[in-house]
Structures are given as C-alpha cells and as structure tokens.
Amino acid sequence: SQTIHQWPATLVQPVGSPLSLECTVEGTSNPNLYWYRQAAGRGLQLLFYSVGIGQISSEVPQNLSASRPQDRQFILSSKKLLLSDSGFYLCAWGSLQKETQYFGPGTRLLVL
Amino acid sequence: KQEVTQIPAALSVPEGENLVLNCSFTDSAIYNLQWFRQDPGKGLTSLLLIQSSQREQTSGRLNASLDKSSGRSTLYIAASQPGDSATYLCAVRPPNSGYALNFGKGTSLLVTP
C-alpha cells in the first residue's frame, strides 16, 4: 500500500529564516506530487505540482520554491520566510491511474 | 479562473439529523468533483469522487450529487453522528491542469450528542 510522509509536523521559525519541508511517498512510482497551503480563513491553495523528477510547475508567485530531487521526494523551500508564509502545508500525490489525490498529515508552520 | 464556494461555512446540528452541504463552482468544464473530510490539524481524506459524466455517488450514510451544467454539488449525510464532526471540503479537478484540484474553503460541521 502507498503511504505519504511529511516532516516536520510542526515548525516555528523567525521571519527571515530559511525553510525546508520534506515530503516522501512510498509504495508507488512516478507519482504526481503537489504542495498545498491552507491559511486561516482560506481554502487550500495549490502552490506547486510536479509530474516528474526536476519538473516543477508553480501556480502562484511567492516567496517559496519547490524541488523534486528523487522520484518520490518533494521539497518545499524558502530562503527568507515572511509572516504571510504561516499556515498548514499539505503534500499530496496522485497519478494518471488514480482519480483522487492522497494527502499527507501536514506541517504546521508558524512564522514569528 | 475556477472558483469553488461552499455554503454554509459552519453548521451545528444535533445527533441523528440529516444534513446537506453545498458546493458550487463557476466553470462547468471539470474532470471530476470530490468531497474530502479534514479533522482538526490533520490531512485530508477522500470521501466520494464523482466523475463529470456521473450524477451521484454513495458510500454508507454519505451521498454526493453533481449537476455539472448548473455548477453545483451537494453532500448529504444521513443520521449524523458526533464522529462526523469535521471540516468537509469540496474540490473540482479541471481538465488539463496537471491534475491539480481547486478547493472550496470548506464547511465546518459540529454534530452534538
């Protein structure tokens, strides 16, 4: 069976510090991978998606970047965090064969 | 740009009641529509998925309908239980988008004993 992991679960960072959130998927190959952010009072916003290693599409201009160094690894990064980067970050995977997406447990980020 | 709206934003009902959650979307060109459940501080769990060619899907006490031409979907929960308390999210999958989903803001449901 497939599983998706995210870490850390919770993170408190000062403004201006760097960020690295990691997502890994087990039990499947060549998945589509997604990063979403859920901010207070807002719906889930798609940040990035990837259909293969090194292939990243960005949905909104922002202070964040994403990378996919391995088939089942997806990383969300920032060089300098802003207060507005606070939120709940969710990683998900899907595929051409799977109609739905499967979500990880999320990382709660608080920027102070 | 696809906009997904969910009404109501929050709902509180006594245990045993039947209830309806609403979802509307602005662009009828969708690939499918899904309903997810999110418990506080957790990830999302898919409940029901309706293909664009389908009218409804059922799973246990849950029934979701889709009227693509009018841009509406409803999630019907029968005989609600306290364990149903969660946020319910509606999401549409546009065609040719890298299979990314457009989410509504969700309906926060509280079922009281």
Side-chain angles (χ1 to χ4, degrees), chain A residues 32 34 38 46 96 99-101, chain B residues 31 34 38 98-101:
Chain A
N32 293 336
Y34 308 87
Q38 190 174 37
L46 177 68
L96 291 176
E99 295 291 348
T100 188
Q101 290 181 12
Chain B
Y31 188 80
Q34 298 181 65
Q38 185 178 27
Y99 313 105
L101 302 177

Side-chain angles (χ1 to χ4, degrees), chain B residues 23-86:
Chain B
C23 172
S24 61
F25 46 96
T26 54
D27 188 348
S28 62
I30 65 170
Y31 188 80
N32 62 35
L33 182 144
Q34 298 181 65
W35 284 92
F36 290 86
R37 169 183 172 140
Q38 185 178 27
D39 292 293
K42 304 293 185 182
L44 278 65
T45 301
S46 180
L47 297 174
L48 290 165
L49 183 150
I50 311 175
Q51 299 290 359
S52 62
S53 59
Q54 296 175 326
R55 299 285 292 183
E56 66 177 346
Q57 283 287 337
T58 298
S59 176
R61 294 181 294 107
L62 305 179
N63 175 276
S65 67
L66 173 65
D67 183 344
K68 197 174 76 162
S69 61
S70 67
R72 294 178 186 278
S73 176
T74 62
L75 179 66
Y76 176 82
I77 303 178
S80 58
Q81 303 171 358
D84 294 330
S85 298

Side-chain angles (χ1 to χ4, degrees), chain A:
Chain A
S1 64
Q2 300 89 9
T3 55
I4 179 169
H5 305 278
Q6 287 186 247
W7 64 90
T10 305
L11 193 58
V12 180
Q13 291 286 91
V15 170
S17 63
L19 173 74
S20 181
L21 303 182
E22 190 163 343
C23 170
T24 59
V25 181
E26 297 177 355
T28 187
S29 59
N30 196 30
N32 293 336
L33 295 172
Y34 308 87
W35 278 112
Y36 292 89
R37 176 171 60 201
Q38 190 174 37
R42 302 186 63 180
L44 267 77
Q45 180 185 34
L46 177 68
L47 302 176
F48 301 96
Y49 70 90
S50 172
V51 298
I53 296 174
Q55 300 179 59
I56 309 293
S57 296
S58 174
E59 288 293 299
V60 293
Q62 59 207 320
N63 184 43
L64 302 169
S65 63
S67 62
R68 185 170 178 175
Q70 300 181 45
D71 182 45
R72 290 171 287 179
Q73 183 185 30
F74 206 21
I75 297 173
L76 184 69
S77 303
S78 174
K79 292 182 179 178
K80 291 185 177 181
L81 283 168
L82 305 173
L83 288 174
S84 58
D85 292 325
S86 294
F88 191 50
Y89 288 81
L90 287 161
C91 180
W93 76 272
S95 69
L96 291 176
Q97 292 76 32
K98 298 286 188 182
E99 295 291 348
T100 188
Q101 290 181 12
Y102 300 91
F103 285 78
T107 293
R108 186 160 301 282
L109 172 66
L110 179 60
V111 182
L112 301 176

